[in-house]
Amino acid sequence: PIVVGAQVDATGLAEEAIVVEALRGGTVVASETRTMPDGEASLQFRLEVPLEQRDWYALDVRVRTESGTDRNPEFVAENNQHRLLYDHREKSYRVLYFAGRPNWQHKFMIRALEADPEVQLASLVRISGAEKSFVFRGRDSSLGNPLFDGFENERDLPRYDEAVFMRLGLAPEELAGGYPTKAEELYPYHLIIWGSIEPDFFATPQLLLTRDAVSDRGAAFLLLGGPGNNADDLADTVLAPLVPTLPRYHDGSSDDWPGEIAPTPEAFLTGVWALHGDHMTHDRLWEELPPLPDVQPTGPARIGATVLARAEGHGEGVGDNAPPFFLWQRYGLGRGALIATGETWPWHLQTAASNGAHERLWRQTVRALVRDVPEQISMTHDGSKALVGVDTETVWTVRNNEFQPLVGARLEVSFTDPTGETETVPLLEVLTSPGRYRASMTPIHEGLHRARLVGETREGEPVPETETAFMVDVDRREWRRPRFDPTHLQQMAAETGGRYFPLDALQDLPAALDANDARQQKQERTPLWNMPWFYGVLLLVMLGEWTLRRRAGQP
C-alpha cells in the first residue's frame, strides 16, 4: 500500500470526532477517525491505501466530522479536500550492494528484496583482497591470486595484486573489474549500498564518481556500519558531505555496543519504518524486536537531516537525546542515508518465523530511497498546481544515457485531457539552462492529464519515449486560509494605495470615500508602425537626409 499523510487544523471542534477518508472514484478505500483534544488543534493522520491495477492513481482525500455539521456548522468546506496523484506504473529499480567481506546481512537482504519484483539487487562482495607484494615460493610461484592455486588456466585468473569478488545479479561482463570506474557503469543504479568496506579500498576517481552519482545523477547512497568502516571513516574523504551525521569527537567510546532501536514519529508517518498502519500496533511490534548486538556510535545529525530511528542503551542517552541510528538527507539531486550497524539480521533470526518485520523494513527502506531518484527524462510544471483555465508551463529535463544535459534536441509533447482530446505542441529549449525544455498548455478540464514526449537528438538518434501525467484542479486558492488575517489585509491595502478599516472604525469609511480622489488612470499602448502618418514622417526624414548628402557632394 501507499501511505497518505494528512495534517488537519480545526477550530471549535473540541471533543469532536474527525474522519479523514481517501476516495477513489467516489468510493472510500481507507479512513481514520480521531478525536480533537482542544478547541483549536492540529492532528496528523496516516492512511494506508491499497493499490490495484498498474496505472496512475488519482486519490481524493477529504476530512469531515463524524457527527455531521449540525453541531458545529462548517462555513467554508472548500478547503476540506485535496486531490493526489500517485504513479503506480510498472517500474524497475536497480540497487548495487558493495561489501568488503561475505556477511549474514547480505543473505537476509537478498531474501527480503526477492519479494519485490521491481527491485533488482546486484551484489559485489569481496572474497579476497589484493596482496601488496609478490611472495616468491620457488618454482611454484605464480602471479595469480593464491585463492586460485591449482586451477586450470591460471593466466586468465585474477593476479595476486587484484581483489576477487563474488558477483550476484550481474550480467557476465557487467562490473567484471570490480567497483565501477565510469559513469556509464554506475549511473544506471538507483541506489548504492556500502557495507563493511574500508574507504582506503577506493581510488579517488571512484569516490568522486560515487559523489557525482548522488549529486548530479540523483541516485541514493546508503552507508551501513560494520567491521572496517563507519561514518567517521569517510570524514576525510570527498564523500563526507553525503553522510547525514557530523564526525564524532573520539573520546575512547568507539567500540560497538548493543542497543534498542526506537523509531521516531517521522518513521511512522512517512511509512519508511512503519510495521503497521495503526500507531499503537506499530509501537507494540517494535517493542517485540530484540536489540541489535553491534550498534556503532554516531555523531549528531547534520542540519536538514531527517532522523528516522535512534539507538538507546549503553548510557548513550534515551529519547531525543539518543544518538541517531537511521537517518538521511538531501545532497544535490540525490540523497545520502546511514544505518549505524551492519547487522540487522537478528530481527529475523531472533523472532518468530511468522514475524516478517525485518523483510518489511528492508523493502520499505529501499523503496523509500529509490522512489524519488530522477529518471533520464522528467517533467514538472511551474506553480504548485495546474489549474483549470490558467496557462500552465511544463518544464522537461532531458538527459542522455550518461545523464548529461541533452541540448539541441527536436522534441514535441502531446497532452491528453480526461475527455481523450489530444494537443501536440513543440518543446522549446531553455537556452539559459542546458537540458531543459518548455511547453505551454491551458487545461480546460479538471482531472488527470497525460503527457507523452517524443523526438530525436540533433544527430538524428531517437530520444526515449516518455509518458507522465499531472493533475489539474479548480482554483481554490482563496479558500486555503479563510480565517480573518488583519496583517495580510493591511499589507494588501498598503501595496494597492488603499486603507484598512477595522470593524470598530467603520463609521470613518463614508468620510474617507468622499475625500478619496476617484480619478482613474488608463494606459494604452499603440505601436507606431500601426499608424499611417508614421511612415510619412519616416519617408520625409529619409528624403531630407538624402538631399543634405547630395548638396554636400556625397553619394
Side-chain angles (χ1 to χ4, degrees):
I2 64 171
V3 175
V4 178
Q7 176 178 322
V8 177
D9 302 322
T11 301
L13 296 177
E15 305 301 326
E16 186 78 36
I18 302 296
V19 182
V20 172
E21 299 171 326
L23 300 92
R24 175 168 171 79
T27 303
V28 177
V29 293
S31 65
E32 182 182 1
T33 303
R34 299 181 64 183
T35 302
M36 277 289 174
D38 302 314
E40 183 169 353
S42 177
L43 293 180
Q44 298 284 344
F45 288 79
R46 179 184 182 279
L47 305 178
E48 287 192 0
V49 181
L51 301 181
E52 299 171 0
Q53 69 271 16
R54 293 286 190 171
D55 198 2
W56 292 92
Y57 256 71
L59 290 174
D60 291 315
V61 182
R62 72 183 182 189
V63 57
R64 61 179 178 84
T65 58
E66 190 176 42
S67 60
T69 58
D70 295 336
R71 177 181 171 186
N72 294 289
E74 174 68 289
F75 295 101
V76 180
E78 285 80 2
N79 60 359
N80 291 350
Q81 61 183 8
H82 190 75
R83 179 162 290 182
L84 304 174
L85 183 62
Y86 183 78
D87 185 3
H88 190 48
R89 297 174 299 171
E90 291 187 3
K91 300 183 181 67
S92 178
Y93 301 105
R94 301 197 67 189
V95 179
L96 175 62
Y97 175 79
F98 187 78
R101 64 182 182 89
N103 55 77
W104 288 99
Q105 184 64 42
H106 181 218
K107 169 189 174 180
F108 290 101
M109 187 188 307
I110 293 177
R111 179 178 296 180
L113 297 180
E114 282 178 346
D116 192 339
E118 293 187 352
V119 175
Q120 302 175 5
L121 178 63
S123 303
L124 271 177
V125 180
R126 185 180 61 188
I127 58 176
S128 176
E131 299 291 339
K132 295 183 179 180
S133 60
F134 175 73
V135 178
F136 179 72
R137 296 178 297 176
R139 64 179 184 179
D140 294 331
S141 298
S142 171
L143 293 178
N145 192 296
L147 185 66
F148 296 93
D149 284 350
F151 283 75
E152 296 181 359
N153 302 323
E154 291 187 7
R155 294 182 180 180
D156 299 330
L157 297 176
R159 290 168 47 95
Y160 73 94
D161 54 355
E162 296 177 346
V164 180
F165 295 94
M166 176 179 63
R167 304 166 63 254
L168 299 175
L170 292 165
E173 301 299 327
E174 189 176 9
L175 303 185
Y179 193 78
T181 58
K182 300 178 181 178
E184 57 266 26
E185 296 176 338
L186 187 60
Y187 281 17
Y189 293 96
H190 297 77
L191 171 61
I192 305 164
I193 303 176
W194 281 9
S196 300
I197 184 69
E198 63 279 2
D200 294 341
F201 170 83
F202 301 95
T204 300
Q206 291 176 314
L207 296 177
L208 293 172
L209 178 64
T210 304
R211 184 193 64 183
D212 295 342
V214 178
S215 62
D216 299 338
R217 184 261 185 268
F221 174 79
L222 174 60
L223 177 66
L224 301 180
N229 77 304
N230 57 45
D232 293 339
D233 294 333
L234 296 178
D236 297 328
T237 70
V238 295
L239 294 187
L242 268 68
V243 181
T245 58
L246 296 172
R248 287 186 314 116
Y249 294 101
H250 293 281
D251 54 2
S253 61
S254 59
D255 295 335
D256 298 348
W257 45 273
E260 295 274 357
I261 308 305
T264 62
E266 289 80 0
F268 172 75
L269 294 174
T270 60
V272 179
W273 268 20
L275 293 179
H276 197 274
D278 177 68
H279 68 95
M280 300 294 291
T281 307
H282 160 83
D283 294 339
R284 178 180 58 81
L285 292 175
W286 267 102
E287 293 175 357
E288 295 176 356
L289 293 180
L292 296 180
D294 295 311
V295 175
Q296 292 185 339
T298 59
R302 291 184 183 270
I303 297 176
T306 301
V307 179
L308 299 165
R310 296 183 180 273
E312 300 178 351
H314 198 63
E316 297 288 340
V318 296
D320 294 339
N321 296 323
F325 174 79
F326 175 32
L327 67 168
W328 60 32
Q329 67 170 359
R330 298 296 304 180
Y331 183 77
L333 296 178
R335 180 179 292 176
L338 168 69
I339 296 181
T341 185
E343 299 180 354
T344 62
W345 52 265
W347 285 342
H348 178 86
L349 286 186
Q350 298 180 16
T351 56
S354 59
N355 189 326
H358 183 258
E359 290 79 3
R360 173 169 177 163
L361 291 176
W362 267 104
R363 286 195 295 269
Q364 293 176 170
T365 300
V366 171
R367 276 284 184 164
L369 289 171
V370 301
R371 67 186 177 196
D372 293 329
V373 175
E375 298 297 333
Q376 184 176 341
I377 301 175
S378 60
M379 185 209 77
T380 59
H381 55 78
D382 289 347
S384 58
K385 284 187 176 181
L387 303 174
V388 174
V390 179
D391 185 58
T392 300
E393 190 171 61
T394 59
V395 181
W396 297 77
T397 302
V398 184
R399 299 187 286 183
N400 57 20
N401 293 332
E402 297 181 359
F403 286 85
Q404 297 299 317
L406 184 64
V407 298
R410 296 178 291 273
L411 307 171
E412 64 179 19
V413 58
S414 300
F415 296 102
T416 304
D417 63 17
T419 65
E421 295 187 5
T422 300
E423 176 187 7
T424 301
V425 297
L427 282 173
L428 303 179
E429 187 172 3
V430 181
L431 300 181
T432 58
S433 183
R436 289 182 177 265
Y437 298 79
R438 294 180 180 270
S440 298
M441 54 91 66
T442 303
I444 59 176
H445 296 284
E446 179 183 6
L448 177 66
H449 285 63
R450 301 177 185 267
R452 184 172 62 91
L453 178 143
V454 296
E456 59 183 18
T457 65
R458 58 186 176 186
E459 290 81 13
E461 299 179 357
V463 174
E465 183 177 320
T466 303
E467 292 187 0
T468 185
F470 58 96
M471 189 66 66
V472 176
D473 292 329
V474 177
D475 192 355
R476 297 188 178 93
R477 287 176 291 180
E478 64 175 314
W479 303 112
R480 290 181 183 174
R481 297 184 60 85
R483 297 184 180 183
F484 173 62
D485 188 354
T487 302
H488 178 66
L489 296 177
Q490 292 173 5
Q491 294 176 350
M492 185 185 301
E495 293 177 0
T496 59
R499 290 179 58 187
Y500 167 75
F501 291 88
L503 293 179
D504 55 2
L506 287 182
Q507 65 275 7
D508 301 331
L509 180 59
L513 292 177
D514 293 338
N516 184 35
D517 188 355
R519 290 180 298 176
Q520 297 182 355
Q521 294 182 353
K522 183 178 180 181
Q523 184 179 11
E524 293 184 358
R525 293 186 178 183
T526 303
L528 291 177
W529 49 82
N530 288 344
M531 299 180 179
W533 60 265
F534 170 73
Y535 294 96
V537 173
L538 183 62
L539 180 61
L540 291 176
V541 171
M542 294 177 63
L543 289 175
E545 188 268 346
W546 179 79
T547 302
L548 292 176
R549 284 192 295 105
R550 296 296 294 173
R551 287 183 178 182
Q554 297 180 1

